[in-house]
Amino acid sequence: MKLVASKLFEKKYKRNALRNQLLKLNIDKTLRLLEIDIFDPSLETHKLTGNLAGLWATSCGKDC
């Protein structure tokens, strides 16, 4: 799968990754897993509800 980052994601990624190298590594690892298998159990991928219904979410760690 090919991931496409929004401008907002890119802006926040750059700002936060510069401040926290461990966070950058966690985000990068999560993005690689998403490209390989969006439903990898370690990603805890789940459907969103409400205004975001139809979209999916995952986590790259508790601090992210």
Side-chain angles (χ1 to χ4, degrees):
M1 174 190 320
K2 172 102 168 110
L3 298 178
V4 178
S6 69
K7 296 289 182 190
L8 180 61
F9 172 84
E10 290 177 358
K11 179 180 175 183
K12 290 187 177 209
Y13 173 81
K14 287 177 186 175
R15 182 183 58 194
N16 293 315
L18 287 174
R19 294 182 190 166
N20 186 335
Q21 185 63 28
L22 182 58
L23 178 61
K24 179 185 183 310
L25 293 173
N26 286 340
I27 293 170
D28 292 346
K29 178 183 173 187
T30 300
L31 292 173
R32 281 192 304 276
L33 280 171
L34 281 169
E35 286 183 323
I36 295 167
D37 179 8
I38 192 170
F39 296 109
D40 185 294
S42 66
L43 294 173
E44 300 180 13
T45 307
H46 56 280
K47 286 184 180 182
L48 296 175
T49 60
N51 292 340
L52 300 176
L55 300 176
W56 293 76
T58 188
S59 178
C60 58
K62 293 187 182 349
D63 63 340
C64 179

